[in-house]
Amino acid sequence: MAVPLRVLLVEDVPDDAALVLRALRKGGYDPVHRRVETADELRDALQQSEWDIVIADHALPQFSGDDALTMVREEHSDLPFILVSGTIGEDVAVAAMKAGAHDYVLKQNLARLVPAIDRELREAQIRRERRREVESRMLLEEVSAAQAPLFDPRKSFACVARLSVPRLADGALAELVDGGPSGLDAVAVVHRDSTVRAAAQEQRRQEAPEATAARTRSVLTTGEALLEPPPGAAPAGGVLAPLEGSPVLRAMQAHSALSVPLSARGRILGVLTLVSSDPRRRFDGADLRVALELAHRTAFAVDNARLYESAREAVRLRDDFLAVASHELRTPLTALRLQLQLMERLVSRDDGDPRLVDKLERALRQSGRLSQLVESLLDVTRISSGHVVLKPERFDFAEVVRDVVTRLGEEAQRAGCLVNLRVPDHLEGSWDRLRIEQVLVNLLSNAFKYGAGHPVDVGLARIADTDCLRLWVRDHGIGIASEAMERIFGRFERAASMRAYGGLGLGLYISREIVESHGGTIAVQSELGLGALFIVELPLETPERAAVPENALPMRVPGGDGTGDGIGDGFGDGSEGIDRTFGEEGP
Amino acid sequence: MSDGAPLVLVVEDDFEIREALLEILALSGYRTEGAANGREALDLLASGRRPCLILLDLMMPVMDAWGFREQQLQSEDLRDIPVVVVTAYPDPQGRAARLDAAAHLSKPVDLDLLIGTVERFCRA
């Protein structure tokens, strides 16, 4: 069987050309040729048609073989080029090879021509395949990189389809399996030609849900790729017939189509179909390999995106549940507290049994704790669903600090914590008062809890030369391990063991959200066994900003009738140690 | 508790909470009336009762706080009676502010706070 060969002959002598052609035919080729003599003719021939090989005479009257080589290389960096000449000096030949000719043959020795061509065509083929491999790898890398940040399975898949065109195919169709009636959801219909793309998209839109193309259904059920037309069948005259089959493929003018399944963890997630609209291009084994690799990576990305989506949904559901549950808890808690308070009043009013009074007080305290827990739960679900609005108002921060310390006096006393206060007389600014109190209560409660039996230092100062303040709370208790430092600000996190210290582990999370909503920062310094220092920095003025809903309630403070705590009047910015301790009676 | 003692109207749909509030107020020397929703409250007021203060829950069936307040403000007779809102519900859109209440109390209600607030508007 004669091998068709498209030969471009750069030769001014027709007889010499005829000799070359005869040699080719003898060698088993069926040449289709054109002979050119001038630069213009050569340029024209290169532009008009595709060629398999250029055979050029070295010395032409109009222009040289070297010029011809240069011209060919301009258009086709890799088109096989063989120099044929009567006389070639070795240095000329070497120079020509260096310039890009693949071989040279002497006219007297045309027998060498065919083997040279054979080898050259083979090597050109190898170079072509290697280039494709590199391009495919680059495409795959690009696809992986583009997909990485996409958490939406549909976007992820669509991205692959778009990147495949036009490098891998003229058109692509990405279909995701979905549970709905249609079974398959087209997430992308792409084509290099925008008119064709529009027509194909229209076709897909019109397609009835049950009309999943037979080819896609086949891929879905077998889990095997489908290549049409199958490799091996020789197309007539090198041109493929348009494919029958789905209207979408017809709209894309498909002459060859490759469908691969996306499967991950044993399930088929969708089908990627690549289309060639070029009657001369047929998808082959190499294309199939690339497409399979593409599908593999895409399936992985799509699967991940799906998992991410369901995780987010689970979190949403959980947060919704928390909000409802904690709200529902408030109603009986309210009734309970009212009754307990009522009982307390009745008993003490009627000179009741002091044991009864004591027990009621304990019961009330516990219900107070319950209430606090419910409040933090509600608070945290509000904050984490982005529902917090700050309501800034002008007030004296120093006064609020003193106030909160006083209110927590009883708790401090029970914990055996002497509170050292270093707070200026006044520090005016605007913040959300309720939320700031919340932060103060949280930091102090933590200090009493984890630093029981030791003094607690509380300081406040304006940071020199800035419009910011610094608030710090230091305890001398168990301290925090360095691995736990970042975690303790997370939701439901605690550094020490859960059982020993009670609470839900939400306080610091809420405090950080509040501080950061004000435009401030909160940080901790600690060493195990040496206590912890929490530092809050806040701007003096809080811009009006919507973040969370109003009526967000602060944590309830257990009632204290306020034993006095030390009040300091020193200033400083917290970097010096606390140098005075005050007795309970005050300075 | 004399007939001259000031009257407090408690509008709250949860039975237990309403009863507890009524009892606390009675103990503190007030006369009390209870209503389970805005509609009942309006009916009570229509029958001639004039409380010195209305304790108003936000969310109630039949007619909620906003419905009640709208009606109350339309009546010359009733519009000057101060309203204190008592609520457990979160209020993302700040709708409670629209009620233009004299004060807000949040559940679970602190007794001292409650009595203190009532005293501001009614002398027992």
Side-chain angles (χ1 to χ4, degrees):
Chain A
M1 246 297 355
V3 176
L5 190 68
R6 297 168 297 187
V7 186
L8 179 53
L9 290 163
V10 184
E11 173 60 69
D12 60 321
V13 178
D15 285 344
D16 286 345
L19 278 174
V20 167
L21 290 171
R22 198 172 65 161
L24 289 176
R25 284 191 204 100
K26 267 179 73 177
Y29 287 105
D30 176 19
V32 167
H33 80 280
R34 179 169 162 186
R35 185 176 66 84
V36 300
E37 289 185 35
T38 69
D40 286 336
E41 281 176 12
L42 174 59
R43 198 172 293 120
D44 186 65
L46 286 172
Q47 278 169 5
Q48 291 285 337
S49 313
E50 300 270 331
W51 301 103
D52 294 319
I53 190 160
V54 176
I55 301 177
D57 189 322
H58 169 63
L60 294 147
Q62 304 270 11
F63 74 124
S64 72
D66 294 330
D67 295 330
L69 178 58
T70 311
M71 206 176 292
V72 168
R73 285 287 165 259
E74 261 168 37
E75 293 291 318
H76 303 93
S77 52
D78 201 39
L79 185 54
F81 187 104
I82 295 185
L83 215 49
V84 172
S85 193
T87 53
I88 300 179
E90 180 147 346
D91 40 341
V92 166
V94 166
M97 297 287 278
K98 279 199 182 145
H102 292 116
D103 205 344
Y104 67 92
V105 173
L106 295 175
K107 277 185 189 173
Q108 307 88 290
N109 202 1
L110 278 184
R112 267 207 67 239
L113 181 60
V114 167
I117 292 178
D118 288 341
R119 194 195 60 230
E120 199 35 54
L121 289 176
R122 240 188 348 262
E123 285 182 8
Q125 169 76 349
I126 292 174
R127 283 194 301 269
R128 235 190 332 266
E129 277 168 15
R130 208 169 289 151
R131 255 200 317 274
R132 265 172 81 180
E133 228 172 283
V134 170
E135 274 164 15
S136 314
R137 212 172 305 139
M138 276 173 49
L139 174 63
L140 288 172
E141 288 310 316
E142 219 177 287
V143 164
S144 286
Q147 282 182 325
L150 295 175
F151 288 115
D152 179 343
R154 300 171 56 88
K155 284 201 185 121
S156 195
F157 196 6
C159 170
V160 170
R162 286 196 205 104
L163 284 175
S164 306
V165 173
R167 286 192 289 188
L168 200 51
D170 297 318
L173 171 63
E175 294 169 295
L176 258 185
V177 170
D178 87 23
S182 50
L184 273 181
D185 184 18
V187 299
V189 178
V190 194
H191 200 276
R192 72 195 309 165
D193 180 316
S194 51
T195 324
V196 172
R197 177 173 69 236
Q201 283 172 344
E202 189 49 44
Q203 266 310 319
R204 190 56 175 82
R205 244 196 306 274
Q206 285 178 6
E207 234 165 53
E210 319 79 46
T212 312
R215 65 177 298 111
T216 331
R217 217 175 303 131
S218 144
V219 173
L220 280 177
T221 39
T222 63
E224 301 273 318
L226 193 56
L227 181 49
E228 267 184 291
V239 168
L240 297 165
L243 289 181
E244 289 303 311
S246 83
V248 178
L249 288 190
R250 279 202 300 278
M252 285 202 199
Q253 298 161 18
H255 290 267
S256 176
L258 173 53
S259 291
V260 287
L262 262 61
S263 54
R265 295 187 294 140
R267 283 172 46 244
I268 299 191
L269 307 176
V271 178
L272 173 66
T273 301
L274 298 173
V275 161
S276 164
S277 308
D278 181 350
R280 286 167 309 179
R281 185 193 171 187
R282 186 221 301 272
F283 288 119
D284 59 15
D287 294 314
L288 178 59
R289 272 193 300 278
V290 174
L292 283 173
E293 179 61 28
L294 212 54
H296 177 71
R297 294 185 186 204
T298 306
F300 190 64
V302 167
D303 197 40
N304 276 354
R306 283 243 164 99
L307 287 171
Y308 180 77
E309 242 180 12
S310 47
R312 283 227 311 221
E313 179 63 17
V315 168
R316 235 188 328 259
L317 283 174
R318 185 201 66 199
D319 283 345
D320 283 346
F321 167 75
L322 274 177
V324 169
S326 47
H327 169 265
E328 286 303 307
L329 286 169
R330 262 172 168 166
T331 304
L333 249 178
T334 303
L336 176 64
R337 281 183 67 74
L338 284 174
Q339 292 298 340
L340 285 173
Q341 286 175 94
L342 246 175
M343 272 193 269
E344 202 194 13
R345 294 219 165 174
L346 286 170
V347 168
S348 42
R349 176 193 284 218
D350 294 340
D351 281 327
D353 189 340
R355 284 178 305 176
L356 213 47
V357 173
D358 174 59
K359 302 219 164 298
L360 278 170
E361 269 172 18
R362 286 166 191 264
L364 253 172
R365 255 206 309 278
Q366 290 307 310
S367 81
R369 272 184 66 191
L370 237 185
S371 189
Q372 256 176 289
L373 290 172
V374 169
E375 289 312 309
S376 356
L377 213 51
L378 247 186
D379 226 2
V380 86
T381 58
R382 266 199 302 263
I383 286 177
S384 59
S385 52
H387 282 320
V388 179
V389 181
L390 290 184
K391 281 162 46 181
E393 54 181 291
R394 297 208 67 79
F395 63 90
D396 184 346
F397 206 104
E399 191 190 307
V400 168
V401 173
R402 281 192 286 268
D403 191 44
V404 171
V405 168
T406 305
R407 262 196 283 159
L408 295 185
E410 202 182 294
E411 197 180 322
Q413 211 180 23
R414 264 202 306 279
C417 295
L418 202 59
V419 176
N420 303 315
L421 205 51
R422 275 189 93 186
V423 161
D425 288 339
H426 301 288
L427 188 54
E428 299 250 339
S430 81
W431 308 271
D432 184 322
R433 186 180 186 132
L434 279 183
R435 294 304 195 168
I436 293 297
E437 286 182 6
Q438 209 174 342
V439 173
L440 284 166
V441 169
N442 171 239
L443 293 177
L444 283 167
S445 297
N446 280 349
F448 298 149
K449 199 192 295 185
Y450 296 104
H454 302 272
V456 169
D457 309 316
V458 178
L460 175 69
R462 181 169 175 159
I463 304 178
D465 298 328
T466 67
D467 286 323
C468 297
L469 62 80
R470 183 178 289 133
L471 164 76
W472 65 97
V473 176
R474 190 204 313 262
D475 71 74
H476 298 88
I478 63 172
I480 304 166
S482 47
E483 314 83 74
M485 299 266 248
E486 177 49 39
R487 259 190 350 174
I488 54 177
F489 289 101
R491 288 198 292 180
F492 310 119
E493 293 275 15
R494 213 178 295 98
S497 106
M498 282 194 90
R499 300 262 182 275
Y501 290 96
L504 289 169
L506 294 173
L508 281 176
Y509 170 79
I510 294 173
S511 296
R512 178 161 77 172
E513 293 298 314
I514 293 172
V515 166
E516 288 182 357
S517 298
H518 278 85
T521 57
I522 180 169
V524 62
Q525 291 169 18
S526 176
E527 264 186 62
L528 275 177
L530 293 181
L533 168 63
F534 283 86
I535 303 176
V536 172
E537 293 185 2
L538 289 168
L540 291 180
E541 303 290 330
T542 308
E544 294 264 354
R545 255 191 326 137
V548 174
E550 293 187 342
N551 255 9
L553 303 171
M555 292 196 324
R556 306 291 296 173
V557 178
D561 47 11
T563 49
D565 293 296
I567 307 280
D569 57 2
F571 290 75
D573 62 6
S575 49
E576 315 110 45
I578 305 293
D579 54 24
R580 281 204 300 171
T581 312
F582 298 98
E584 278 189 281
E585 278 62 40
Chain B
M1 187 171 47
S2 70
D3 274 339
L7 175 68
V8 177
L9 173 58
V10 177
V11 191
E12 160 68 58
D13 69 311
D14 183 86
F15 175 75
E16 287 294 339
I17 297 179
R18 190 173 66 243
E19 287 294 302
L21 288 171
L22 290 172
E23 201 178 333
I24 288 163
L25 289 164
L27 216 59
S28 306
Y30 295 96
R31 277 185 305 141
T32 60
E33 286 281 2
N37 57 60
R39 171 93 271 138
E40 278 187 26
L42 284 172
D43 290 341
L44 259 170
L45 292 168
S47 74
R49 304 282 201 293
R50 286 292 172 271
C52 61
L53 175 72
I54 302 176
L55 284 178
L56 188 58
D57 186 24
L58 275 193
M59 303 292 216
M60 298 168 286
V62 181
M63 184 188 284
D64 65 15
W66 291 272
F68 169 80
R69 195 79 173 126
E70 197 187 316
Q71 296 293 320
Q72 184 204 355
L73 292 172
Q74 279 173 12
S75 154
E76 253 192 62
D77 242 1
L78 304 174
R79 70 162 70 111
D80 292 324
I81 307 177
V83 159
V84 169
V85 165
V86 181
T87 179
Y89 275 85
D91 187 11
Q93 291 90 21
R95 292 167 64 221
R98 290 214 317 259
L99 291 170
D100 192 23
H104 288 250
L105 287 173
S106 25
K107 288 178 188 168
V109 181
D110 179 81
L111 255 193
D112 294 324
L113 209 49
L114 171 68
I115 301 300
T117 306
V118 171
E119 270 175 10
R120 268 164 52 196
F121 301 99
C122 314
R123 288 263 138 230

